[in-house]
Amino acid sequence: METLEQTLARAAVAAPGAQLSVVKNDSPCAQHSLLVDVEHAYAVAKFLRDDPQLRLDYCSNVTGVDFLDAELSEKVKVKKVVDGVEKEVEEVKKTKRAGYLEAVYHLYSMALKHGPVILRQRTPGRADPVKVTSLTPLWRSCEFQEREVFDLYGVLFDGHPDLRRILMWDGFKDYPMRKDYAEPDDYEYEPTPHDEVLEKAKAHLPKAEVKA
Amino acid sequence: MDDGLRNELSKQGVVVVKLEELYNWGRKNSVWPLSFGLACCAIEMMAASMARYDLARFGAEVFRPSPRQADLMIVAGTVTKKMAPQVVRLYNQMPEPKYVIAMGACAISGGPFKQGYNVLKGIDRYIPVDVHIPGCPPRPEALIHAFMTLQRKIDAQKLTGPDRARHLNADLPSEFPVPLFGEHDLVPSKNPNVWRPAVVVR
């Protein structure tokens, strides 16, 4: 199977205007993924499915990822004059990164017995509306899993035939798998609390006990 | 009547019992459970009703598919918040006298999913539970033990007096409010008339 860079080059030709990049995975599994912009996701996915060399006819998994606003620190070597002598000094450069949500697709080929090719779509931010393109018209197996991502992460899928909550009830307002989800406080009775649960249970203890 | 006279009469073939004893004896040996399971504990419940563990020895082999014919609800498995209203509704549709066994860690407290966003922390927050069984899942023997505990409880129930059984006391409720789906949690998140958290002493 060709490398992801080769796939990217051919996909860029097949879907003109698509902004594609490779997201590196430095862990030993080295499963790099293909990041595609939301506008051209459908065209790129269609290319991945129909291209005779790839024929990724099976979408095994759709999931969501939540990235909070973060401050990234990076070590940069800077030339500085220290005590009259020019030296190379390491400095920590901090950059702020706005949070975003991702929808990740794992694609396999049943016909050619290869895979996975991992496709990512990224939203511009975490605030509503967070829209990506639904790939259900290409792979039917995405339907329920995109609904699950919508249910738990609040990602809206443009072009999904039936985007409703699937696990939680319809009137539910929260997105429980987001990192800033605040669960309902029902820690009134914790016979053996520890760590986080202990902190939450303390709010329900009589005040005299908290001091002790 | 003292025990000596009763013993003497039984030797002559005359059996003397109180009506209460006869009534409870009949009830405790014909407890029909509602056949519904929520998770893996239900597999153990099925095993308990099959030939190897043979729940029929206790008169409880007739699992009823309708709440209107059932006396006992075995809450076997994880009660999700989405399922909780239906469980309470099933309980409300059962006729008195009715009993509840909460089977397994999930049904009594939420179990391993306790800190999740979607699991009820024990069905005893909405309906009165007679016997709790810990275990994940409890073995069929544990269910049988719970069943025998329930039988002893039924045997001890009074027919008259201020502490008479609930189904004979019109002042006590036999139905409990069904929780609604709220925006963040079930509304209400517990029924304070049924469930009062025990005071934790540390």
Side-chain angles (χ1 to χ4, degrees), chain A residues 1-7 10 32 48 51 53-56 107-109 112-118:
Chain A
M1 198 187 160
E2 62 185 8
T3 63
L4 204 58
E5 282 76 11
Q6 289 168 323
T7 308
R10 295 202 301 120
H32 311 304
L48 294 176
D51 180 66
Q53 281 182 49
L54 291 167
R55 288 176 73 184
L56 298 164
L107 309 172
Y108 289 82
S109 171
L112 301 177
K113 309 264 186 291
H114 65 205
V117 170
I118 302 158

Side-chain angles (χ1 to χ4, degrees), chain B residues 4-176:
Chain B
L5 179 57
R6 183 187 295 196
N7 197 14
E8 207 56 43
L9 280 169
S10 72
K11 281 177 190 164
Q12 303 300 321
V14 180
V15 180
V16 182
V17 291
K18 284 191 275 183
L19 179 64
E20 184 178 284
E21 286 169 1
L22 188 69
Y23 179 75
N24 285 341
W25 172 79
R27 286 197 312 126
K28 79 170 185 183
N29 289 306
S30 60
V31 177
W32 291 358
L34 180 60
S35 76
F36 90 111
L38 297 171
C40 31
C41 282
I43 304 295
E44 300 296 305
M45 181 179 75
M46 291 171 217
S49 70
M50 291 292 128
R52 187 180 176 93
Y53 296 97
D54 200 13
L55 205 58
R57 290 175 291 162
F58 305 90
E61 76 280 17
V62 203
F63 276 81
R64 304 312 297 182
S66 160
R68 299 181 199 288
Q69 301 168 350
D71 308 301
L72 167 66
M73 176 186 243
I74 302 175
V75 184
T78 316
V79 188
T80 58
K81 285 178 181 171
K82 206 172 175 180
M83 192 64 184
Q86 280 76 274
V87 175
V88 178
R89 190 165 279 129
L90 281 173
Y91 178 81
N92 287 346
Q93 291 186 357
M94 286 163 61
E96 288 278 13
K98 55 189 172 182
Y99 304 94
V100 178
I101 291 177
M103 180 181 183
C106 298
I108 66 176
S109 72
F113 313 112
K114 195 176 170 76
Q115 287 179 67
Y117 54 88
N118 62 337
V119 173
L120 187 69
K121 292 180 175 181
I123 190 63
D124 51 3
R125 288 178 180 235
Y126 291 117
I127 54 177
V129 174
D130 293 280
V131 186
H132 296 78
I133 325 173
C136 187
R139 285 192 55 85
E141 289 95 327
L143 180 59
I144 288 172
H145 182 256
F147 199 81
M148 291 164 72
T149 308
L150 181 68
Q151 284 187 323
R152 278 195 288 277
K153 199 169 173 174
I154 294 173
D155 213 18
Q157 283 189 327
K158 298 268 185 293
L159 299 191
T160 51
D163 56 345
R164 62 188 183 277
R166 189 186 65 196
H167 65 279
L168 299 167
N169 191 342
D171 298 338
L172 294 177
S174 68
E175 290 185 12
F176 294 89

Side-chain angles (χ1 to χ4, degrees), chain A residues 25-37:
Chain A
N25 183 345
D26 295 329
S27 70
C29 70
Q31 284 199 330
H32 311 304
S33 48
L34 197 61
L35 181 67
V36 61
D37 62 318

